[in-house]
């Protein structure tokens, strides 16, 4: 476990996937950032500990990452977590095979999802929300390519405050044309595409 203190209270904590300490201690009352490392067997005990009570001071959650191959690790069951984090502003999920549940996070301004093979289901769950405050969206698809129907939903979503879009994957050709036609493109301050791009995709940009 790694800790950062601020005026006698814990401001941030990096948890082991199988935590041996309680998250209900009074010193955690104003906890603002939690990071949970990814392992092949998942981090469900740490997730359950975080979801054991409301965390109204929490502003950031990083689940997964921090080691090689994290995008292939199990995210776990997250359904009961989001209602306990009503003021969450920054969320990073790195892994696969998780159960996201309903992502009702109205104050979220930054969302990043990365997987070795991102399936349509979690993307569909994300697109079911309005995201009126979201300013940064990052999706790393790995070696999967979203279905045409899901891409159509992505670039039909209003995202009224979105100013940064980061997309990564092995196959980016199918993303280029929808991006070029997307009405939200002129509002972006930053667009980052990384991964595999052939002449077909480059021609769409030109």
């Amino acid at each position: 476990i790694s800790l950062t203190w601020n005026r006698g209270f814990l401001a941030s904590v990096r948890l082991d996937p199988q935590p041996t300490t309680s998250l209900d201690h009074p010193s955690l009352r104003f906890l603002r950032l939690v990071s949970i490392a990814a392992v092949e067997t998942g981090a469900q005990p740490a997730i359950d500990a975080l979801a054991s009570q409301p965390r109204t001071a929490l502003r950031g959650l990083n689940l997964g990452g921090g080691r090689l191959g994290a995008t292939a690790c199990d995210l776990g069951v997250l359904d009961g977590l989001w209602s306990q984090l009503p003021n969450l502003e920054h969320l990073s999920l790195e892994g696969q095979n998780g159960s996201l549940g309903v992502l009702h996070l109205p104050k979220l301004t930054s969302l990043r999802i990365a997987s070795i093979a991102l399936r349509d289901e979690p993307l569909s769950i994300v697109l079911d929300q309005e995201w009126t405050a979201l300013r940064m969206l990052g999706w790393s698809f790995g070696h999967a390519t979203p279905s045409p129907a899901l891409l159509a939903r992505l670039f039909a979503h209003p995202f009224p405050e979105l100013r940064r879009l980061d997309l990564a994957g092995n196959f980016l050709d199918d993303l280029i044309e929808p991006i070029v036609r997307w009405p939200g493109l002129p509002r972006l301050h930053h667009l980052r595409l990384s991964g595999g791009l052939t002449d077909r995709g480059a021609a769409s940009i030109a």
Side-chain angles (χ1 to χ4, degrees):
I1 187 170
S2 177
L3 310 173
T4 301
W5 294 84
N6 183 24
R7 299 181 181 180
F9 292 93
L10 279 169
S12 68
V13 58
R14 183 170 183 83
L15 290 176
D16 292 327
Q18 311 286 331
T20 57
T21 56
S22 171
L23 290 181
D24 298 332
H25 192 275
S27 65
L28 295 165
R29 184 181 309 162
F30 300 113
L31 189 64
R32 295 183 64 85
L33 173 64
V34 170
S35 300
I36 303 174
V39 294
E40 289 75 7
T41 55
Q44 197 62 52
I47 294 168
D48 292 342
L50 188 62
S52 64
Q53 66 177 21
R55 312 284 177 181
T56 56
L58 197 70
R59 297 296 187 270
L61 173 62
N62 301 319
L63 177 55
R67 64 183 67 187
L68 187 65
T71 54
C73 295
D74 192 346
L75 279 173
V77 179
L78 309 177
D79 306 51
L81 181 59
W82 312 124
S83 62
Q84 303 288 54
L85 311 178
N87 297 313
L88 197 68
E89 296 175 357
H90 308 284
L91 175 61
S92 176
L93 302 174
E94 189 169 345
Q96 64 177 356
N97 300 327
S99 175
L100 293 185
V102 178
L103 275 172
H104 181 62
L105 299 168
K107 297 185 179 180
L108 204 70
T109 61
S110 173
L111 174 62
R112 176 179 176 269
I113 300 178
S115 175
I116 193 171
L118 198 57
R119 298 173 291 117
D120 279 6
E121 180 184 1
L123 302 184
S124 181
I125 288 173
V126 169
L127 295 175
D128 285 341
Q129 307 304 312
E130 294 186 359
W131 303 119
T132 55
L134 197 68
R135 295 185 62 83
M136 182 276 177
L137 176 62
W139 272 346
S140 179
F141 302 102
H143 58 67
T145 301
S147 68
L150 199 65
L151 285 178
R153 284 190 62 196
L154 169 60
F155 293 108
H157 199 293
F159 293 118
E161 297 299 322
L162 195 68
R163 297 298 180 265
R164 173 170 181 155
L165 179 63
D166 294 348
L167 299 174
N170 290 357
F171 308 101
L172 293 178
D173 286 348
D174 293 334
L175 301 178
I176 301 303
E177 189 172 342
I179 290 173
V180 172
R181 297 198 312 262
W182 180 40
L185 183 61
R187 294 197 302 269
L188 291 183
H189 296 168
H190 182 98
L191 173 64
R192 180 173 182 264
L193 302 175
S194 60
L197 186 67
T198 70
D199 290 344
R200 178 170 66 88
S204 298
I205 297 176

